[in-house]
Amino acid sequence: YKKMVMKPRIKGGCPVLSTAFEVDDTDESLRVLAKSFVEEILAAIVEVLEEGKGAGLFKSGIDSKKEALYLFATFEGAIMLGKLSKSAKPLFEIFDQVEFYLENNIFKAQS
């Protein structure tokens, strides 16, 4: 995410977040499409978390669906705050917190 923030593939921010904000109560078909895409992203994050648990990298007791939702919402919120402030500072501050969260709540302790 840090790399994507500094060198975005698409100008204008996250198209999913932008679409969701614009159509949540105005265009039902686009809202459903945006929701479907978010569900795909969440499923991909869940898959990564499950693979990490299976490989012994992540704590076995984590709830992958809840963690995926938390991480996705945190990243999207960070992007929104960065866009509003026209600064990468909030993004990097939030990303630092996410790294701390991952190290303490997701990753297994290194022995």
Side-chain angles (χ1 to χ4, degrees):
Y1 262 87
K2 283 182 180 179
K3 288 179 186 176
M4 286 177 25
V5 168
M6 298 311 290
K7 293 183 180 180
R9 292 182 184 173
I10 300 171
K11 291 193 178 222
C14 177
V16 175
L17 183 64
S18 298
T19 301
F21 278 133
E22 292 295 325
V23 302
D24 65 325
D25 56 4
T26 60
D27 187 321
E28 183 62 14
S29 60
L30 277 177
R31 186 197 68 76
V32 169
L33 187 61
K35 182 177 180 272
S36 174
F37 190 68
V38 167
E39 289 168 353
E40 286 183 41
I41 294 169
L42 290 170
I45 297 169
V46 167
E47 185 177 334
V48 169
L49 293 169
E50 288 296 313
E51 288 177 8
K53 286 191 325 188
L57 298 171
F58 301 151
K59 294 177 181 178
S60 61
I62 65 169
D63 182 327
S64 296
K65 288 183 181 181
K66 286 182 181 180
E67 296 297 346
L69 188 62
Y70 170 76
L71 292 169
F72 180 73
T74 300
F75 290 143
E76 290 297 311
I79 292 168
M80 185 258 316
L81 291 170
K83 295 292 288 178
L84 281 175
S85 67
K86 295 193 179 285
S87 168
K89 185 177 179 185
L91 290 156
F92 292 130
E93 289 175 354
I94 291 168
F95 291 157
D96 287 344
Q97 286 300 111
V98 169
E99 286 179 31
F100 180 81
Y101 179 84
L102 291 171
E103 289 170 5
N104 290 286
N105 297 294
I106 302 296
F107 286 100
K108 276 188 165 180
Q110 300 277 332
S111 45

